[in-house]
């Protein structure tokens, strides 16, 4: 049976874009309110408080829900090393993505941006050189294609994969596989051809908050 955790910590990558960090704060606050527990946002780098510091300061059993969309160095190394410094029991969750709820949030953002049913969509991810991250991105494409009920292709801004300039065509819609605005979303907008609908990032959509709540409840039951 699921029970609420004593404390929730979310951990996002962090960005120099203040609005991007605010998304992580909004998600953490909304999830904590839903769960009825103290919730604290943290970041891997580029913003404060840093996750490593939050783990050292933790005073109650805690579940950690990463706001990261794929497996990679942070998930494999940085986060576990920080958790090991905690003086209280801490349960670290898996990356937030891929997940059907994120795909539904992407569909909502596409429709808000003016995309239409059946329109070809390009999911644009930040990208990684980690093969596991590439697998996660392909799974996200599959989930979005199902939720959108239409063709979805993958493009990445860095690392492995094909760049948006080689995938996106006039008349397409672009779905950024990003939680927060910032460098990558700005680049997606800048590089999109004329006539292409570019959706907003998933942001603090209610479905993102719902996913964090579900992950926290599942972790507290482990």
């Amino acid at each position: 049976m699921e029970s609420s955790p004593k404390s929730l910590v979310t951990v996002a990558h962090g960005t120099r874009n203040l609005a991007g960090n605010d998304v992580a704060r909004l998600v953490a606050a909304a999830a904590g309110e839903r769960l009825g527990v103290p919730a604290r946002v943290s970041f891997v780098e580029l913003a404060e408080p840093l996750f490593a510091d939050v783990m050292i300061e933790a005073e109650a059993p805690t579940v950690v829900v990463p706001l990261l969309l794929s497996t990679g160095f942070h998930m494999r190394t940085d986060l576990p090393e920080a958790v090991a410094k905690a003086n209280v029991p801490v349960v670290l969750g898996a990356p937030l993505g891929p997940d059907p709820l994120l795909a539904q949030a992407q569909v909502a953002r596409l429709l808000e941006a003016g995309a239409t049913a059946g329109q070809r969509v390009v999911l644009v991810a930040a990208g990684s050189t980690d093969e596991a991250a590439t697998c996660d991105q392909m799974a996200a494409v599959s989930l979005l294609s199902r939720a959108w009920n239409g063709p979805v292709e993958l493009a990445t801004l860095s690392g492995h994969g094909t760049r948006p300039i080689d995938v996106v065509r006039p008349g397409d819609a672009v779905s950024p596989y990003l939680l927060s605005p910032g460098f990558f979303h700005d680049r997606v907008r800048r590089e999109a051809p004329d006539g292409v609908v570019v959706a907003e990032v998933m942001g603090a959509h209610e479905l993102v908050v719902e996913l964090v709540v579900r992950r926290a409840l599942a972790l507290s039951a482990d």
Side-chain angles (χ1 to χ4, degrees):
M1 180 177 178
E2 291 182 341
S3 59
S4 293
K6 286 186 168 53
S7 179
L8 167 68
V9 170
T10 63
V11 53
H13 184 277
T15 172
R16 293 185 178 87
N17 182 295
L18 296 180
N21 295 328
D22 284 344
V23 167
R25 294 188 176 93
L26 288 169
V27 170
E33 184 175 354
R34 286 269 308 273
L35 292 162
V37 302
R40 192 171 184 189
V41 68
S42 67
F43 304 93
V44 178
E45 57 187 6
L46 300 178
E48 294 184 345
L50 294 174
F51 179 63
D53 294 337
V54 169
M55 287 294 93
I56 291 171
E57 297 164 3
E59 297 179 347
T62 299
V63 297
V64 176
V65 178
L67 302 182
L68 305 174
L69 298 180
S70 61
T71 306
F73 182 80
H74 294 315
M75 285 300 312
R76 287 203 182 99
T77 303
D78 290 339
L79 302 194
E81 286 181 354
V83 166
K85 298 176 182 177
N87 295 311
V88 296
V90 175
V91 182
L92 174 62
L96 200 62
D99 191 275
L101 285 178
L102 295 183
Q104 291 174 36
Q106 287 179 273
V107 167
R109 296 302 191 208
L110 282 165
L111 294 175
E112 289 169 4
T116 56
Q119 190 170 5
R120 181 177 180 266
V121 170
V122 178
L123 180 150
V124 178
S128 172
T129 56
D130 192 303
E131 295 292 346
T134 300
C135 291
D136 287 344
Q137 292 157 13
M138 292 303 299
V141 167
S142 178
L143 290 170
L144 180 57
S145 180
R146 243 178 262 142
W148 181 245
N149 195 27
V152 179
E153 301 292 334
L154 173 66
T156 60
L157 294 168
S158 64
H160 297 313
T162 308
R163 301 295 176 254
I165 194 171
D166 298 314
V167 181
V168 181
R169 305 190 300 245
D172 286 347
V174 169
S175 178
Y177 191 55
L178 304 165
L179 276 182
S180 302
F183 172 79
F184 285 118
H185 192 229
D186 290 344
R187 186 174 155 194
V188 170
R189 288 191 176 282
R190 189 169 60 249
E191 296 181 4
D194 292 339
V196 169
V197 173
V198 179
E200 291 294 332
V201 296
M202 287 176 271
H205 193 281
E206 60 184 14
L207 291 169
V208 175
V209 175
E210 173 65 22
L211 179 55
V212 172
V213 169
R214 290 188 189 182
R215 293 289 177 85
L217 289 172
L219 291 170
S220 66
D222 288 345

